[in-house]
Amino acid sequence: MNVIAASIVKKVGDREVIVRELSVGDARAMFASVSDGDVFDDLLFVDCRIDDLVRMTSLSREDVDDLRPSEVREVIAACKEQNPDFFGLWARLLGRDKG
């Protein structure tokens, strides 16, 4: 897969964030990954764990920590745009999408 073609660049605050479209294998690995037990990282945002953002973007954990929640929501929106099937499956698993 051409990673460049499967990516978008999103301007968030003063930085440019590369948001990647996950391969099926990448998405499978994310679902299989176990949380490190950090409730804050896992539950701060409804649709995405912070570790997931790091995997889908050019952001490091430290970069995410430096963002305001409103900026993180912008990144999540871009991730949803690039990975609608991943987020659709996530919503179905959590019972938020009955379709």
Side-chain angles (χ1 to χ4, degrees):
M1 175 195 313
N2 183 342
V3 176
I4 301 290
S7 302
I8 61 171
V9 177
K10 175 76 175 171
K11 182 81 168 160
V12 177
D14 62 348
R15 70 179 75 213
E16 290 186 342
V17 179
I18 298 170
V19 180
R20 294 180 282 278
E21 180 180 9
L22 299 172
S23 69
V24 172
D26 292 336
R28 184 184 313 277
M30 283 177 61
F31 273 97
S33 70
V34 177
S35 166
D36 63 4
D38 187 328
V39 173
F40 186 84
D41 285 357
D42 291 346
L43 300 176
L44 180 61
F45 299 99
V46 173
D47 294 327
C48 198
R49 300 175 297 186
I50 290 177
D51 282 345
D52 298 339
L53 288 179
V54 170
R55 290 180 180 172
M56 284 188 264
T57 70
S58 59
L59 296 170
S60 68
R61 175 174 284 283
E62 293 77 23
D63 292 334
V64 175
D65 284 348
D66 289 340
L67 295 174
R68 295 184 316 274
S70 60
E71 293 172 322
V72 175
R73 286 191 301 274
E74 287 181 52
V75 174
I76 292 171
C79 289
K80 286 180 173 183
E81 180 182 326
Q82 281 299 99
N83 297 283
D85 298 308
F86 170 82
F87 284 95
L89 175 58
W90 188 254
R92 288 189 301 279
L93 287 172
L94 295 177
R96 284 191 246 130
D97 179 16
K98 304 299 181 196

